[in-house]
Amino acid sequence: MGAGILSDLATEILIPVCAVIGIAFSLIQWVIVSRVQLSPEKHSPTNDGKNGFVESLIEEEEGLNDHSVVQKCAEIQNAISEGATSFLFTEYQYVGIFMGAFAVLIFLFLGSVEGFSTSSQPCTYDSSKRCKPALATAVFSTISFLLGAVTSVVSGFLGMKIATYANARTTLEARKGVGKAFITAFRSGAVMGFLLAANGLLVLYIAINLFKLYYGDDWEGLFEAITGYGLGGSSMALFGRVGGGIYTKAADVGADLVGKVERNIPEDDPRNPAVIADNVGDNVGDIAGMGSDLFGSYAESSCAALVVASISSFGINHDLTAMLYPLLISSMGILVCLITTLFATDFFEIKAVKDIEPTLKRQLIISTVLMTAGIAIISWISLPSSFTIFNFGVQKEVKNWQLFLCVGVGLWAGLIIGFVTEYYTSNAYSPVQDVADSCRTGAATNVIFGLALGYKSVIIPIFAIAISIFVSFSFAAMYGIAVAALGMLSTIATGLAIDAYGPISDNAGGIAEMAGMSHRIRERTDALDAAGNTTAAIGKGFAIGSAALVSLALFGAFVSRAGISTVDVLTPKVFIGLLVGAMLPYWFSAMTMKSVGSAALKMVEEVRRQFNTIPGLMEGTAKPDYATCVKISTDASIKEMIPPGALVMLTPLIVGIFFGVETLSGVLAGSLVSGVQIAISASNTGGAWDNAKKYIEAGASEHARTLGPKGSDPHKAAVIGDTVGDPLKDTSGPSLNILIKLMAVESLVFAPFFATHGGLLFKIF
């Protein structure tokens, strides 16, 4: 068997050092962004380096050294930041109560497995050895659950703070050219990406080391308790995604329908009462929600890999370096993403609008290529040349190069999913142009074409996921699938930087419009935003693809832990679970879509009321009441996020307790299979409708000009399509990937209880 080249001590130093490097890099980026002044001071041209003279000339020419513009930008930024902060605090108060209750539930359920006994018990997978009592698992699972939840909240909150800090600065930099604005938005996204990746890694590493003080050589118990970390991360992400998604889309739909369609005023016009709520929504939904979501994926794929490794030769032989292979991959990912980010911010300069999308795409390619080499190095130095992996009761022999291929196949599948998503959602390609063209004959054909595009866009990603599952399972069983998911998420820092860049640019455009800046500035921010829309769709593609792999790996760990030898679809217990599981994503989507609809209804009525009753609002002589619209969005999302959240959190508990582990395994398989398809099609349909509208508005090609301008019938049809797509791409679609992961990780955490006390109904009858 042998050991890897890397010593245990070196591993214990390397992981925290990489995490600290990630945090330091994000702070450096933040300092650079903060140099953009938000106070109306005049700079002397010499301060601005080689381009200083030219830049100040552009500003003079556009009359933009005007103090009032900078002042306005600062005021608007402040309003957005305050709105987002107050919403997240309100949300976290409600979710905090839920988390406390759920933590108690974890302790009671897991503690009762052995009747709260404090004496050691035979190990689950090797009864000749003694392991720590079930009560210890209950206590430590509860602690790791709370750790995961807090880390997830902090990740989302910091992301939102950074985004609201950077939005007005991006607007002001757009006065100097599109390149400057791009770099400011991208650096801010990188702050969030690196902070999240490094924090997730560091907290997990510290938790493992602290738990080891108690568990000692009982690695099986140690890593079983660590799975609570993934559960905490994902359960917070669910509420963040659903609550934030309802908030942002209620405001967006209300602002668009009344402002653009009925009143014919531009997007983000300061006369629109819902405009601040709309911009707040971008930060709480797309930034805080996405941050928590990807953190959850990362935590769960790490936990799934660690659980399987602890009962394989790594855990049995106490080979710490090989055991921490998943964390070493993430550490390498931080270093790779750091180099990749420099390509966008320092090595190459963006000079024109057409350079934006290629630069963002290059980020994905560079990070994937570099990471492939990085994984090869990590696999070579940290793994023994051959080892065994637990595979449903038997140990399967695996070589280190096979594990490298498992991680690599996940990494490249992620890139393929990203590019397919881009093809179907970017207005540079024919699918979106066809959707835009269908607007000639009205909204109905636009909706038909958009739905068809979404369904079609599922095909290649599903094949990519299927191939990566087959390859990784063939080589290294369920551990292979877990590390394939980690491979897909290994470049999470770059993925999040690209993803957060979108809402920051969107906000920057909104601020430019509200501050009354010239149309040239708005054109620049629109170009940044259009690229951001596509990158947001790519980010969602990554999140959904990794969720499929993560939940399958967790499913495998659950089946092993619950002591099920095979999941037989032909047994009625499993088949009924399969049917119900496949139905859950539809039920969940129905809840979230209806929530957005009813919140948007209130918003539309309020915006109409203000336009009709506030004299001088349309003329721009009176100010709208922004606060009421912010309150409508906040109240609606807090109230409406509870039922979908409860559905996801309670389903595994109810099924496990009353119907047992076989039926639960069917539910998990069913929800995975149908959830992935709906999530991909919903996200891509919404993204395509949004960019079809932007394609018509930009009027960049001859074809687009025949459909425009803004306010034409095809444009109105495109706005309706975009409005229908909003809850699909930003509420239901992205929340579904959390549904499939969360149910799987929750089942794994409660598996000891379900295996011992579950299936009450079948025991009675």
Side-chain angles (χ1 to χ4, degrees):
M1 300 287 268
I5 298 168
L6 200 64
S7 71
D8 287 358
L9 178 65
T11 304
E12 298 218 29
I13 295 168
L14 187 66
I15 294 171
V17 164
C18 288
V20 170
I21 288 171
I23 292 169
F25 182 71
S26 68
L27 293 177
I28 292 166
Q29 298 296 323
W30 182 74
V31 168
I32 296 171
V33 171
S34 65
R35 285 189 189 150
V36 179
Q37 293 295 324
L38 255 190
S39 51
E41 299 164 12
K42 234 181 171 171
H43 292 284
S44 62
T46 49
N47 288 358
D48 285 319
K50 60 175 195 281
N51 296 335
F53 187 62
V54 183
E55 281 163 7
S56 55
L57 271 183
I58 294 173
E59 291 186 36
E60 296 293 349
E61 176 200 328
E62 300 206 351
L64 285 170
N65 267 337
D66 183 3
H67 288 206
S68 67
V69 168
V70 183
Q71 197 67 47
K72 254 185 186 165
C73 284
E75 281 168 19
I76 297 162
Q77 181 209 30
N78 210 22
I80 294 170
S81 182
E82 278 174 17
T85 308
S86 74
F87 167 72
L88 286 181
F89 272 130
T90 314
E91 180 183 69
Y92 294 153
Q93 279 167 3
Y94 282 88
V95 176
I97 298 164
F98 175 82
M99 287 299 128
F102 206 76
V104 172
L105 210 61
I106 292 175
F107 176 72
L108 292 176
F109 276 32
L110 294 183
S112 68
V113 171
E114 297 284 329
F116 295 98
S117 147
T118 51
S119 55
S120 64
Q121 55 179 16
C123 296
T124 312
Y125 298 99
D126 183 359
S127 49
S128 62
K129 289 183 183 163
R130 305 294 290 174
C131 281
K132 299 289 182 196
L135 189 62
T137 306
V139 171
F140 284 102
S141 292
T142 309
I143 294 169
S144 59
F145 168 75
L146 293 170
L147 260 181
V150 170
T151 313
S152 183
V153 166
V154 170
S155 302
F157 187 76
L158 286 177
M160 180 280 298
K161 273 295 186 201
I162 291 152
T164 52
Y165 182 81
N167 50 17
R169 288 174 164 79
T170 304
T171 309
L172 293 176
E173 286 291 274
R175 301 179 304 176
K176 300 176 185 174
V178 77
K180 293 278 185 192
F182 170 82
I183 286 182
T184 304
F186 190 79
R187 280 192 200 281
S188 317
V191 177
M192 179 188 177
F194 282 91
L195 263 185
L196 189 137
N199 275 344
L201 177 65
L202 197 59
V203 175
L204 181 59
Y205 175 76
I206 291 168
I208 290 171
N209 278 304
L210 291 178
F211 285 17
K212 216 186 318 167
L213 298 176
Y214 170 78
Y215 276 101
D217 282 348
D218 177 15
W219 284 16
E220 184 189 299
L222 163 65
F223 291 104
E224 190 172 302
I226 284 286
T227 50
Y229 184 67
L231 177 60
S234 254
S235 43
M236 289 308 284
L238 177 73
F239 290 106
R241 249 317 185 191
V242 174
I246 294 169
Y247 185 107
T248 176
K249 290 305 117 182
D252 200 356
V253 171
D256 281 0
L257 281 182
V258 184
K260 289 205 283 202
V261 178
E262 293 178 11
R263 294 281 167 168
N264 225 353
I265 58 175
E267 191 165 356
D268 297 314
D269 191 295
R271 294 169 291 178
N272 194 328
V275 71
I276 293 285
D278 185 8
N279 280 296
V280 168
D282 289 336
N283 294 296
V284 296
D286 293 347
I287 298 263
M290 188 67 176
S292 293
D293 180 2
L294 279 175
F295 165 74
S297 277
Y298 163 73
E300 283 161 342
S301 52
S302 303
C303 292
L306 291 168
V307 167
V308 181
S310 69
I311 50 176
S312 303
S313 63
F314 302 157
I316 297 163
N317 303 334
H318 295 95
D319 179 353
L320 183 72
T321 301
M323 186 70 218
L324 295 181
Y325 179 66
L327 276 72
L328 287 166
I329 292 174
S330 307
S331 307
M332 177 58 83
I334 290 174
L335 301 181
V336 162
C337 292
L338 194 152
I339 297 164
T340 308
T341 303
L342 297 177
F343 277 94
T345 54
D346 297 87
F347 298 161
F348 296 107
E349 202 179 337
I350 284 192
K351 294 194 169 62
V353 167
K354 65 177 190 309
D355 298 340
I356 301 171
E357 257 190 56
T359 303
L360 291 169
K361 276 163 65 176
R362 246 198 325 264
Q363 286 285 296
L364 288 174
I365 296 167
I366 293 167
S367 62
T368 305
V369 171
L370 291 178
M371 194 62 206
T372 308
I375 297 164
I377 294 166
I378 290 290
S379 304
W380 178 55
I381 62 172
S382 68
L383 295 172
S385 57
S386 80
F387 42 89
T388 63
I389 294 291
F390 183 84
N391 178 23
F392 300 121
V394 294
Q395 294 284 351
K396 175 184 173 76
E397 183 155 330
V398 181
K399 302 268 191 291
N400 56 3
W401 61 266
Q402 291 176 311
L403 214 48
F404 157 68
L405 287 179
C406 293
V407 186
V409 80
L411 177 68
W412 283 90
L415 185 70
I416 291 166
I417 292 171
F419 278 142
V420 170
T421 309
E422 190 224 8
Y423 174 71
Y424 279 107
T425 55
S426 166
N427 53 27
Y429 302 105
S430 60
V432 170
Q433 291 172 9
D434 290 346
V435 172
D437 193 61
S438 70
C439 294
R440 290 175 193 279
T441 46
T445 41
N446 180 25
V447 169
I448 293 167
F449 268 72
L451 287 173
L453 175 145
Y455 297 148
K456 194 175 173 189
S457 71
V458 174
I459 301 168
I460 298 173
I462 291 297
F463 276 119
I465 293 168
I467 292 166
S468 50
I469 287 171
F470 182 77
V471 171
S472 47
F473 190 86
S474 305
F475 282 147
M478 279 299 169
Y479 187 69
I481 293 172
V483 292
L486 260 176
M488 204 177 272
L489 291 165
S490 57
T491 52
I492 186 173
T494 295
L496 261 172
I498 292 173
D499 210 63
Y501 152 87
I504 293 170
S505 309
D506 193 356
N507 261 206
I511 292 171
E513 183 77 50
M514 284 184 268
M517 291 172 127
S518 76
H519 73 96
R520 278 177 62 182
I521 304 288
R522 183 71 222 221
E523 276 170 15
R524 288 169 190 167
T525 55
D526 275 354
L528 292 172
D529 183 22
N533 251 343
T534 304
T535 57
I538 292 174
K540 286 175 191 129
F542 264 94
I544 295 162
S546 62
L549 293 176
V550 168
S551 48
L552 185 61
L554 291 164
F555 175 69
F558 161 73
V559 169
S560 301
R561 183 64 189 84
I564 307 170
S565 50
T566 52
V567 178
D568 185 358
V569 183
L570 295 175
T571 54
K573 275 186 194 177
V574 176
F575 195 77
I576 55 169
L578 207 58
L579 279 176
V580 171
M583 172 274 295
L584 285 173
Y586 290 92
W587 188 0
F588 179 82
S589 299
M591 283 174 151
T592 49
M593 299 276 287
K594 193 158 182 292
S595 300
V596 171
S598 54
L601 203 65
K602 291 184 191 130
M603 187 67 79
V604 167
E605 284 165 358
E606 173 58 26
V607 175
R608 275 184 189 150
R609 183 194 68 75
Q610 291 198 29
F611 273 125
N612 293 333
T613 58
I614 300 178
L617 182 55
M618 272 305 281
E619 292 72 37
T621 52
K623 279 186 85 170
D625 175 9
Y626 297 129
T628 308
C629 291
V630 170
K631 188 173 182 334
I632 287 174
S633 259
T634 304
D635 293 350
S637 55
I638 297 294
K639 186 170 124 253
E640 301 280 1
M641 75 179 181
I642 306 293
L647 172 73
V648 179
M649 299 295 282
L650 297 178
T651 300
L653 292 179
I654 293 167
V655 175
I657 292 167
F658 292 109
F659 298 94
V661 285
E662 278 103 337
T663 308
L664 181 54
S665 65
V667 169
L668 295 179
S671 65
L672 166 61
V673 168
S674 83
V676 173
Q677 329 274 344
I678 306 171
I680 295 173
S681 65
S683 293
N684 290 350
T685 294
W689 275 327
D690 193 345
N691 274 343
K693 175 202 72 177
K694 287 223 166 42
Y695 175 73
I696 294 173
E697 286 175 351
S701 68
E702 192 57 47
H703 175 238
R705 285 191 285 277
T706 61
L707 297 167
K710 286 183 183 179
S712 66
D713 284 343
H715 178 248
K716 282 184 174 169
V719 170
I720 290 169
D722 175 35
T723 313
V724 174
D726 274 338
L728 284 174
K729 76 174 165 61
D730 288 324
T731 313
S732 299
S735 310
L736 280 172
N737 60 56
I738 305 177
L739 170 135
I740 55 180
K741 291 182 309 197
L742 186 51
M743 284 179 29
V745 73
E746 191 182 330
S747 304
L748 174 60
V749 170
F750 286 106
F753 177 79
F754 296 151
T756 317
H757 302 299
L760 292 180
L761 286 180
F762 292 131
K763 284 175 183 168
I764 295 165
F765 298 117

